[in-house]
Amino acid sequence: MSFLLVGLVLTATLVITIPTFKRVKVVKNNMSCLSIIIPARNEERNLTFLLESLQLQNATFEVIVVDDNSTDDTEMVAKAFGVKVVHPGALPAGWLGKSWACWNGAREAKGSVLLFLDADITIEKDGIEKVFFYYQQHGGVLSVHPYHIVKKPYEMFSALFHYITFASIGAFHLFKNWKSPSVGFGQCLLCSAASYFQSGGHEGVKKEVVENMALVEKMNRQVEFITCMSGQGSLSMCMYPKGIKTLIRGWSKSFASGAGKTEAIYLFLVSL
């Protein structure tokens, strides 16, 4: 019983509240300064859903799909939606694929605000407007964890892992108003182009497996305030639709690499 009580207290301390976009107002803004960068490798199926949802948004912005040497119809799908397609070329020594794709997409972007989106995300109605408006109000770096829509029973196993991720970020604990998180989520990241390139962008984290944590950590060092949120009400995702083996492989990679970027105090409390 005492063990359970300690667990409940630690849980409440690490995750006191998780802000979402459900109550964020939809404010129509000029979003022509926004460039959305989507790294994609063999994402023909996911990309269709994402680009369809972006097409339904009531706003104008630049969309760049970085075709990371796909062997399927990723490029054809992107061109069918009329978005810009970037080919980063062969992966240089010392780089990992996603960082290389994001870096090349950012260098091609015309907007002064960059939004990096994973290809397996779907944008909800007015979702981009909500995210952009929130970013305008708070500035710094906005890091969003997409709301996980569960379609298959085995996906429920991700619930615990998501919770551990939220606890480890250091953005939702009891003392969050006094300490900005030093890391963030990678599926959706919004920042100014100036801050991105000043920090070295993905070139500065080219060897990192969990590049999002490393990138946000670097931007935090240059006094950029980090805001982390749940995407509920703005954007969602379906994870590991190919089966439980991909779920295990995906979370194993994330935890093995993410633990090294997690602050010791959060890692200790989460472990307890």
Side-chain angles (χ1 to χ4, degrees):
M1 191 55 143
S2 58
F3 181 79
L4 178 60
L5 181 61
V6 170
L8 289 173
V9 171
L10 286 172
T11 299
T13 302
L14 285 166
V15 187
I16 193 70
T17 180
I18 299 177
T20 73
F21 290 91
K22 291 175 69 175
R23 292 185 175 84
V24 174
K25 296 179 180 178
V26 179
V27 178
K28 301 302 177 184
N29 283 308
N30 180 3
M31 295 172 62
S32 59
C33 65
L34 178 65
S35 290
I36 299 177
I37 300 162
I38 306 166
R41 180 177 175 83
N42 296 333
E43 294 282 6
E44 60 179 3
R45 181 180 179 277
N46 287 328
L47 197 58
T48 299
F49 296 123
L50 173 55
L51 294 179
E52 278 180 351
S53 66
L54 284 173
Q55 205 170 57
L56 294 173
Q57 303 298 306
N58 188 25
T60 301
F61 39 75
E62 180 183 38
V63 178
I64 298 172
V65 171
V66 186
D67 180 16
D68 185 17
N69 299 306
S70 298
T71 56
D72 65 359
D73 290 330
T74 291
E75 179 181 8
M76 191 180 300
V77 168
K79 287 184 174 178
F81 282 91
V83 303
K84 184 175 182 178
V85 178
V86 171
H87 296 282
L91 187 67
W95 282 81
L96 291 181
K98 186 178 178 182
S99 290
W100 176 239
C102 289
W103 176 247
N104 280 273
R107 291 198 300 175
E108 292 286 336
K110 295 182 172 63
S112 59
V113 179
L114 305 179
L115 171 57
F116 296 94
L117 279 183
D118 278 5
D120 60 354
I121 288 174
T122 300
I123 310 300
E124 298 177 22
K125 185 178 183 298
D126 300 320
I128 292 295
E129 287 92 334
K130 288 181 180 180
V131 171
F132 186 74
F133 175 69
Y134 194 92
Y135 166 78
Q136 282 191 315
Q137 297 299 302
H138 294 81
V141 178
L142 177 58
S143 178
V144 183
H145 189 286
Y147 183 71
H148 185 192
I149 295 177
V150 173
K151 292 187 175 181
K152 298 181 180 180
Y154 70 82
E155 291 181 284
M156 287 297 296
F157 288 113
S158 278
L160 174 63
F161 301 140
H162 285 310
Y163 206 86
I164 290 173
T165 299
F166 275 90
S168 302
I169 287 291
F172 311 105
H173 54 69
L174 192 61
F175 309 102
K176 60 186 176 64
N177 292 331
W178 291 276
K179 189 179 187 306
S180 170
S182 58
V183 293
F185 309 115
Q187 299 98 323
C188 173
L189 193 67
L190 188 63
C191 62
S192 71
S195 294
Y196 174 80
F197 287 109
Q198 184 180 344
S199 70
H202 284 86
E203 184 179 35
V205 296
K206 59 187 178 183
K207 296 181 181 180
E208 301 286 346
V209 175
V210 187
E211 80 295 327
N212 56 289
M213 283 191 166
L215 179 60
V216 173
E217 186 180 34
K218 287 192 71 174
M219 298 183 83
N220 183 246
R221 287 199 209 112
Q222 60 185 48
V223 203
E224 285 288 356
F225 186 80
I226 314 299
T227 303
C228 296
M229 295 183 68
S230 162
Q232 188 174 21
S234 64
L235 47 94
S236 58
M237 64 179 172
C238 293
M239 293 185 73
Y240 313 118
K242 295 180 181 179
I244 194 167
K245 287 184 179 179
T246 57
L247 182 150
I248 295 171
R249 186 166 60 246
W251 280 114
S252 297
K253 182 189 76 171
S254 297
F255 280 138
S257 303
K261 291 293 179 184
T262 302
E263 288 191 42
I265 182 61
Y266 302 134
L267 193 62
F268 174 69
L269 293 174
V270 167
S271 298
L272 284 182

